[in-house]
Amino acid sequence: MTTVIQNVKLLNEEGELVVSTIVIENGKIASINGDIPAGATVIDGNGHFASPGFVDVHTHLREPGFEHKETIATGSASAAKGGFTTICAMPNTKPVPDSVENMQLINGLIKESAVIRVLPYGSLTKDISGEVRTNMQELKEQGAVAFSDDGIGIQLASTMYEQMQQAAKLDAVVVAHCEDNSLIYDGVMHEGKRNKELGLPGIPSICESVQIARDVLLAEAAGARYHVCHVSTKESVRAVRDAKAAGIKVTAEVCPHHLLLEEMDISSDDANWKMNPPLRAADDKDSLHAALLDGTIDCIATDHAPHTAEEKCCGMVGAPFGIVGFETAFPLLYTNFVETGKWKLKQLVDWMSVKAAQIFDLPYGTLEVGASADLVLIDLDKEQTIDAEGFVSKGRNTPFNGWTAKGWPVVTMFEGNIVYQEAE
Ligand SMILES: [Zn+2]
């Protein structure tokens, strides 16, 4: 089967938009600007920007175990609507993908209901309890894309070190949510200025940065590849930057909300502003921007974390951490950083696709001939106000409700098939 998308704009090497034609055969990119084969199905791209489908290495789909928050079907459809075609699912489900049996269960659910490519993480410890280590080789054979206990920091250095040694043998990546529990005092937002004004318990910056500093030294000793989740503080940036300079195999991601928001944006005790790590101070946010631009931070990941309205209803204390991210990530970043001239469009696209894929050796996030036909057509001029009620995700928990943004996906294609199309 052959599909042709005519009249789209592609980014060239110089980062300019050039009108192009994409020919897709058997789910792969067959040619760019080549001849249109006879009998092909022709789609008019309406002059929209054709980006590689986005790759999100940090997502929570909640199934199995928490289907009231999200399912693989709703989460993957929400991702498709946001232009994502490959997402990595974190293991804080019930059961946790910590055994062959559980990995097989989760793979079965993904096969049944995902509309895009969903790659599951395996956990670093049994039941992500930080105690008993998993057999990573076994989990890798079942398709684990990488290994993480995201949501909780690995408290014992010995546990992390032993799993990094296993990972080094398998050439697998250890992916860490860094949080030293001995430095947390039941905080719900950044330990800074605004938490005191609101009378809410704080989460100090050091509970993230000290664990990153520990882990990069462990990664060096183990010879392991180590990826830091959702970097949020300037001290964390410094630790990653220094580690890279020392030749340690470390990579890092940042979330859209940490680039867009800071603690002082929180005006009331509203749990739609509660996430972990929390929104930090203005100079932390500045350091994250600088780190993306100088390559210290490699990619952008949403940490899409849906919860129900009931769970998020009643203030920060007691509400779970997390906000949704798939359906707003590109338009928010495009509007606030590309349209304003801070970033080039190519930088944003690379951070959201190929650079994320490269961390895990995934052959996705490009529109080269021979690549999987995973792409998203984006109307860069379309302006729309974010309305959480209209999300495909079951989660409505976002601090961006009511924001206006440009650059909305209109068609998402996965392996050459349309998996999202904007309603007429
Ligand atoms: Zn996390």
Side-chain angles (χ1 to χ4, degrees), residues 2-287:
T2 306
T3 308
V4 175
I5 315 174
Q6 271 187 321
N7 187 25
V8 288
K9 291 193 189 103
L10 284 177
L11 278 169
N12 66 13
E13 278 305 310
E14 288 71 47
E16 297 153 345
L17 288 172
V18 188
V19 177
S20 305
T21 301
I22 303 170
V23 179
I24 297 166
E25 259 162 29
N26 303 320
K28 293 199 177 347
I29 310 276
S31 72
I32 305 244
N33 288 332
D35 294 334
I36 297 176
T41 307
V42 178
I43 296 172
D44 182 4
N46 289 315
H48 295 322
F49 167 48
S51 168
F54 302 134
V55 177
D56 193 344
V57 301
H58 192 144
T59 78
H60 299 273
L61 299 184
R62 305 304 190 199
E63 184 183 4
F66 305 94
E67 291 84 353
H68 58 290
K69 295 175 194 272
E70 192 80 292
T71 63
I72 291 165
T74 60
S76 65
S78 169
K81 189 181 173 191
F84 295 88
T85 49
T86 299
I87 60 176
C88 303
M90 282 297 179
N92 56 342
T93 50
K94 209 176 186 169
V96 168
D98 58 5
S99 65
V100 169
E101 191 190 355
N102 292 347
M103 279 296 302
Q104 287 173 344
L105 168 82
I106 289 165
N107 280 326
L109 293 169
I110 290 168
K111 206 171 169 199
E112 228 165 74
S113 48
V115 302
I116 56 165
R117 186 179 296 108
V118 175
L119 305 173
Y121 277 92
S123 68
L124 285 166
T125 68
K126 289 276 179 190
D127 214 27
I128 52 171
S129 63
E131 285 159 22
V132 181
R133 295 182 293 115
T134 53
N135 180 329
M136 293 162 72
Q137 179 163 357
E138 224 170 65
L139 301 181
K140 197 180 179 205
E141 284 163 6
Q142 295 301 319
V145 63
F147 297 87
S148 184
D149 271 13
D150 181 55
I152 312 164
I154 300 279
Q155 300 306 306
L156 278 181
S158 57
T159 303
M160 187 51 119
Y161 186 47
E162 281 161 12
Q163 289 307 64
M164 281 180 173
Q165 288 174 304
Q166 247 200 98
K169 281 192 202 121
L170 299 168
D171 196 26
V173 186
V174 170
V175 176
H177 167 117
C178 290
E179 193 167 15
D180 186 319
N181 290 351
S182 69
L183 294 167
I184 302 175
Y185 315 101
D186 297 319
V188 298
M189 59 182 284
H190 176 59
E191 171 81 57
K193 188 162 178 262
R194 186 48 55 91
N195 78 299
K196 289 178 191 74
E197 291 166 358
L198 291 172
L200 291 167
I203 302 172
S205 291
I206 46 167
C207 67
E208 172 180 309
S209 52
V210 296
Q211 203 166 78
I212 295 174
R214 177 200 76 179
D215 282 0
V216 294
L217 295 173
L218 294 174
E220 179 181 37
R225 294 163 69 184
Y226 173 69
H227 176 75
V228 190
C229 293
H230 41 53
V231 171
S232 76
T233 78
K234 57 183 186 296
E235 296 83 5
S236 301
V237 165
R238 192 176 66 214
V240 173
R241 186 177 284 134
D242 289 352
K244 281 193 169 184
I248 297 167
K249 291 180 270 185
V250 56
T251 52
E253 73 194 27
V254 63
C255 300
H257 45 275
H258 292 125
L259 294 164
L260 287 153
L261 303 171
E262 57 191 68
E263 57 157 342
M264 298 311 283
D265 294 323
I266 303 174
S267 58
S268 66
D269 181 9
D270 176 353
N272 284 322
W273 295 76
K274 180 179 178 183
M275 71 288 285
N276 194 10
L279 301 174
R280 301 287 188 184
D283 58 348
D284 291 307
K285 190 176 75 173
D286 292 345
S287 79

Side-chain angles (χ1 to χ4, degrees), residues 371-420:
S372 181
D374 303 342
L375 57 97
V376 51
L377 304 185
I378 297 172
D379 186 345
L380 293 176
D381 297 319
K382 181 183 173 182
E383 194 169 51
Q384 193 169 280
T385 300
I386 294 166
D387 174 14
E389 289 308 312
F391 286 165
V392 168
S393 169
K394 285 190 182 187
R396 304 281 182 264
N397 46 310
T398 174
F400 298 110
N401 199 32
W403 284 43
T404 296
K406 271 188 180 178
W408 293 89
V410 291
V411 172
T412 303
M413 266 192 167
F414 171 60
E415 295 182 341
N417 298 311
I418 293 175
V419 289
Y420 166 73

